[in-house]
Amino acid sequence: MYELMDHTEVINRLLARYGVKFGIYKNQVFKEQLFPFDAIPRIIPKVEFDYLEKGLKQRVDALNQFILDIYGKKKILKDKVIPEDFIYSSPGYLPECEGIVPPRGIYSHISGIDLVQGKDQTWYILEDNLRVPSGASYPMIARNLCRRADPEIFRRFHIEDNRNYATILKATMDHVNTGGINVILTPGRYNAAYFEHSYLAEKAGAVLAMNSDLVVKGDYLYFKDYTGRDQKVGALYRRISDDYLDPMTFKEESLIGVPHLMDVYRKNNVAILNAPGNGVADDKGIYYFVPKMIQYYLGEEPILNNAPTYLPFYEEDRKYVLENLHKLVIKDVAEAGGYGVVFGSDLSQEELEKYKEIMKKESRRFIAQEVIDFLDIEIEDGGEIVPRKADLRAFVLSGENTVVWKSGLTRFSRNPDSFVVNSSQGGGFKDTWVLSR
C-alpha cells in the first residue's frame, strides 16, 4: 500500500484540476482551498467493520425513531427519558415541522456519523450529523484515481469496492420518491461542498438544480429543464440548511430556497432528504441521550459508545465540569465544523474562570467531554511517514433498509499537536479501505 505514496503529488494535482476543493467563508470572504489527500490508506479489518456496521445501524435506526417521536407523539418526553425543555430549547428543533411525517417515515436518509478509535482500540462516537452531512465524494474520487495510478495494488488486497455509494444513494432516493424525478438542490458553486453536489448528481443519475430551476405549482414541486418543460420532482436531496430552505416558512430573506416548498412537503407530495427539523437530533446536547434512545426505542444496549460526556445542564454534571474544566474538552452545541471546540488544557486560568461563569449562566449551551487519546495513523509529511490524529466519518443510508457504506471519509490533522481534523480547520483526508475478508 505504501507504493501509492509515489503517486500522491499527481493525485492531488488531478483532484485540483477536477475541482475537488473545499470552500470556506472567513471574515466574510469566500476562499477555495484544496482538501489535501494522503495516499496511505486507512485499513479496517472485516471483523472490525462488521462490528461498526451493527452499531451504526442500531444508532441511526434509534435516531430516526426519535425524530419521528419528537415531531409526533412525544412519548420519550412524556416518559421523562429526556427533559422536555431540553428539546424545545434546542436550536435544531423546528416547530414548523410538528405533525409532519415524511414519506416512508424516514427523517435521516443520509447520516454522517463521526467516530474515533482510542489507543485501547475502542471506537467512540463523537458526533451524529443528520442535517446535511458531506464528504462521501472525496473517498469515491480518490479511490478512482488511486486505481488508475496503481491498479495492481487493488488486485493484491481484498478491499470492498466503494463505487457503490451512488447506487445506494439512488436506491435511497427512489425508496421515498413520491412520483417524479430525483433532484439534488445546490445553492451554487460558492458552497463549501459544491464539488460533491455535482459529482453525486452525475453518479446517482439525479438532476443538479439551483432554486431558480425549481417552482411550486399547485400542490407539487417542478423542475424547469432547458427546454422550458416542467418535470415533477418526487425526491429532493437538499444541500442547504433548514433556515434557507423555504423563505415562506423560515428565513424570509433567503435567496437560495424554494418558496412554498414546505407546503408541498407537508402534503407528502415530495420527499426531502434529509428531512427538515433533523437538527433536533444532532444537537451536541442531545448526543448525550442517544444511548438512552437506543434502550428506549429498540430495547437494546448500545453497541457503540459515546465519548464520556457531561451536561452542565444537570447540577451533578455541572459541578464535575466546573471542578475539572482544565482537563476536559468544551463544545458549544450550536457550532459545527470544528468551531466552538476548546481544550481546557489550552486555556489560561483567567480564561477558565471566564468559561465557568458562562457555563453557570448558559448551562444548556455546552457539553464537556473527556479527552480521548486517538489512535495515531500514518500520513506522509515532507517525504517522511509520521503519526497524526484522525477520525472516521461513516455514512449510513436509510431507505428500504439501513445500509452502512463500506468505506468512509478518514480526516486527519496536519498539525502534530492538534486533535481537530476538520477540513475547515486545515485537515486532510485519505481513503478508507474496508477489507472484505
Side-chain angles (χ1 to χ4, degrees):
M1 65 180 184
Y2 293 106
E3 301 95 307
L4 288 171
M5 289 170 58
D6 297 335
H7 305 286
T8 300
E9 188 177 339
V10 173
I11 291 172
N12 272 294
R13 280 207 305 269
L14 287 171
L15 290 172
R17 185 187 301 172
Y18 295 149
V20 186
K21 298 179 181 179
F22 189 86
I24 57 172
Y25 281 96
K26 196 166 186 179
N27 300 322
Q28 297 185 324
V29 176
F30 178 79
K31 291 179 65 177
E32 274 190 321
Q33 60 190 47
L34 284 175
F35 193 8
F37 172 69
D38 183 80
I40 304 172
R42 176 184 215 153
I43 298 178
I44 302 179
K46 181 182 186 304
V47 65
E48 194 167 348
F49 195 83
D50 287 347
Y51 162 77
L52 289 177
E53 185 176 37
K54 288 179 185 174
L56 289 164
K57 284 182 180 180
Q58 178 195 60
R59 190 174 183 97
V60 170
D61 285 345
L63 283 162
N64 262 307
Q65 289 201 38
F66 167 71
I67 306 171
L68 179 65
D69 188 22
I70 286 301
Y71 289 115
K73 296 180 179 178
K74 301 174 176 44
K75 291 192 295 182
I76 201 166
L77 302 184
K78 293 171 184 172
D79 290 338
K80 301 188 185 306
V81 178
I82 299 175
E84 191 172 297
D85 55 351
F86 208 83
I87 294 295
Y88 297 132
S89 62
S90 168
Y93 166 74
L94 298 181
E96 297 87 349
C97 295
E98 279 291 339
I100 300 176
V101 178
R104 306 277 188 171
I106 301 170
Y107 283 82
S108 188
H109 310 82
I110 301 104
S111 306
I113 310 297
D114 294 344
L115 309 96
V116 292
Q117 188 173 25
K119 286 188 174 174
D120 62 355
Q121 306 299 313
T122 302
W123 286 91
Y124 296 93
I125 305 284
L126 277 191
E127 285 187 8
D128 305 294
N129 299 281
L130 312 179
R131 283 178 267 193
V132 195
S134 63
S137 63
Y138 300 113
M140 286 171 71
I141 192 167
R143 175 81 62 89
N144 185 44
L145 293 175
C146 287
R147 282 180 179 278
R148 283 162 52 183
D150 192 343
E152 183 55 37
I153 199 169
F154 290 90
R155 297 188 185 101
R156 295 206 319 267
F157 288 86
H158 302 288
I159 309 162
E160 292 284 357
D161 193 339
N162 77 346
R163 289 174 289 190
N164 65 341
Y165 183 84
T167 304
I168 302 170
L169 176 60
K170 183 180 185 304
T172 301
M173 295 181 76
D174 287 346
H175 180 67
V176 295
N177 191 301
T178 59
I181 62 171
N182 291 332
V183 171
I184 294 180
L185 171 61
T186 177
R189 71 168 302 275
Y190 289 109
N191 181 264
Y194 178 70
F195 161 75
E196 175 157 289
H197 306 167
S198 56
Y199 189 74
L200 291 179
E202 177 191 342
K203 296 298 181 183
V207 172
L208 183 68
M210 292 180 63
N211 67 320
S212 55
D213 301 316
L214 299 168
V215 63
V216 170
K217 292 183 178 180
D219 293 335
Y220 298 96
L221 177 68
Y222 294 92
F223 168 73
K224 295 180 290 185
D225 67 20
Y226 69 96
T227 68
R229 183 168 57 103
D230 289 340
Q231 296 185 60
K232 187 165 168 280
V233 178
L236 185 73
Y237 180 13
R238 51 83 177 227
R239 297 301 298 256
I240 65 178
S241 65
D242 291 346
D243 286 349
Y244 297 93
L245 199 54
D246 179 351
M248 311 306 290
T249 301
F250 303 116
K251 284 185 181 289
E252 62 181 26
E253 65 269 27
S254 172
L255 299 177
I256 57 175
V258 181
H260 299 292
L261 173 62
M262 287 297 291
D263 296 336
V264 178
Y265 176 61
R266 284 189 194 96
K267 292 171 181 172
N268 243 229
N269 288 338
V270 70
I272 300 179
L273 301 83
N274 282 340
N278 276 11
V280 71
D282 72 6
D283 178 318
K284 289 183 177 66
I286 297 298
Y287 158 94
Y288 176 90
F289 296 100
V290 178
K292 293 183 179 182
M293 291 178 202
I294 293 169
Q295 295 166 332
Y296 183 79
Y297 293 113
L298 306 181
E300 301 169 0
E301 287 303 310
I303 295 169
L304 294 170
N305 299 316
N306 276 10
T309 304
Y310 308 96
L311 276 188
F313 179 82
Y314 290 126
E315 186 177 347
E316 185 179 345
D317 280 16
R318 184 165 64 251
K319 184 174 184 295
Y320 177 85
V321 170
L322 294 177
E323 290 173 356
N324 296 276
L325 199 59
H326 61 284
K327 61 180 183 180
L328 299 173
V329 185
I330 310 156
K331 293 184 177 180
D332 189 320
V333 301
E335 297 281 1
Y339 296 100
V341 177
V342 178
F343 285 78
S345 57
D346 294 337
L347 299 176
S348 66
Q349 191 58 44
E350 183 181 348
E351 289 169 327
L352 283 169
E353 293 304 321
K354 195 175 292 184
Y355 263 100
K356 288 178 184 179
E357 289 306 312
I358 296 172
M359 276 191 182
K360 289 175 186 175
K361 295 174 185 173
E362 302 178 55
S363 61
R364 172 64 175 85
R365 181 179 159 187
F366 299 96
I367 63 169
Q369 294 179 322
E370 300 287 354
V371 178
I372 296 173
D373 194 3
F374 296 13
L375 189 70
D376 292 307
I377 64 172
E378 294 179 334
I379 73 160
E380 181 187 3
D381 185 16
E384 295 183 11
I385 296 177
V386 296
R388 290 290 184 269
K389 302 301 180 188
D391 76 352
L392 172 67
R393 173 164 291 183
F395 291 90
V396 186
L397 286 86
S398 302
E400 185 174 2
N401 300 297
T402 305
V403 178
V404 180
W405 184 38
K406 294 185 177 179
S407 184
L409 176 65
T410 291
R411 301 175 297 183
F412 62 87
S413 171
R414 290 190 291 164
N415 180 345
D417 301 317
S418 176
F419 284 71
V420 181
V421 301
N422 302 70
S423 49
S424 56
Q425 305 293 303
F429 82 100
K430 56 171 65 210
D431 194 4
T432 307
W433 290 4
V434 176
L435 300 185
S436 59
R437 53 175 156 163

